[in-house]
Amino acid sequence: MTKEFSAQRLDVKAFAQAGGRLAGHDSLLKYERLAQEAKGLHPDLLVDWEATGEIRTALGGMGQVWLHIKVRASFPMECQRCLTPVDVPLEVDREFRFVADEATAEALDDESEEDLLALSREFDLHELIEDELLMALPVVPKHDECPTSVPLSSSDDDFEEANAEKPNPFAALAALRKDAKD
């Protein structure tokens, strides 16, 4: 009999010992914090994910609990160049090593190259997926090529008028230099 695992309450150690695999095809609406960042969210936007667990033998023969996640999604944002909607492709491919508790994870974090998390019998895999997608969001989303041309000129008449009236601050220095040469 194979054990059933739940993404909402995952016993990470048992999942890794079983060489478990979970996958999902969820609506983006299921991820509340991520949905708050979206522009033009609709139910057809999906998050495809897969998680696998394994026990890896480390130096010294100790078994370590590992979780590997792969996530793909298309996320609606606003292009910062043309200010029109843009679907940003997001991809996450990460591995995490689990340790006994938060204190151990914090103590080993500086010297460890891998990402460390605390073992739990009720680990929320969806929360980890959401965290990783939030971190994958671009700071400045934009199209590769905007669908509409983007005007690159100033259209503020007040700004142009104010700049036209200002004397060049270096004009006095230029006059001094000219006087010194004469």
Side-chain angles (χ1 to χ4, degrees):
M1 182 176 148
T2 60
K3 182 174 178 171
E4 292 291 319
F5 294 102
S6 166
Q8 287 81 20
R9 297 177 65 170
L10 184 63
D11 181 342
V12 180
K13 187 173 183 178
F15 183 69
Q17 289 171 333
R21 180 186 176 281
L22 285 171
H25 192 68
D26 302 328
S27 169
L28 194 56
L29 297 170
K30 182 176 186 173
Y31 300 90
E32 290 178 25
R33 292 177 296 145
L34 198 56
Q36 290 173 0
E37 297 292 321
K39 304 286 186 208
L41 193 61
H42 55 86
D44 296 337
L45 292 169
L46 299 172
V47 175
D48 293 315
W49 60 269
E50 178 183 328
T52 54
E54 68 177 308
I55 300 291
R56 295 183 189 168
T57 305
L59 293 175
M62 298 227 1
Q64 296 177 335
V65 176
W66 284 82
L67 180 70
H68 181 204
I69 64 168
K70 290 184 180 182
V71 185
R72 296 183 84 170
S74 183
F75 191 75
M77 299 185 85
E78 184 176 84
C79 175
Q80 296 301 297
R81 257 191 304 232
C82 66
L83 302 178
T84 62
V86 59
D87 286 338
V88 176
L90 300 177
E91 288 194 36
V92 174
D93 190 349
R94 301 279 308 268
E95 291 186 319
F96 301 91
R97 181 167 65 100
F98 284 79
V99 294
D101 52 33
E102 288 289 337
T104 305
E106 194 173 310
L108 296 175
D109 190 42
D110 288 340
E111 61 195 49
S112 179
E113 290 184 22
E114 60 266 357
D115 292 315
L116 302 175
L117 296 174
L119 268 175
S120 171
R121 290 187 175 184
E122 295 189 1
F123 186 77
D124 189 342
L125 186 57
H126 288 278
E127 193 173 298
L128 177 63
I129 290 168
E130 185 173 35
D131 288 344
E132 292 301 315
L133 286 173
L134 282 166
M135 288 190 291
L137 289 175
V139 175
V140 180
K142 57 187 174 187
H143 294 101
D144 290 332
E145 283 189 38
C146 291
T148 59
S149 62
V150 180
L152 298 177
S153 63
S154 172
S155 62
D156 187 353
D157 294 332
D158 292 335
F159 178 77
E160 296 297 331
E161 187 178 317
N163 276 343
E165 294 174 6
K166 284 186 182 176
N168 183 343
F170 298 102
L173 291 175
L176 288 174
R177 185 173 182 197
K178 185 179 177 185
D179 289 342
K181 285 185 178 179
D182 291 338

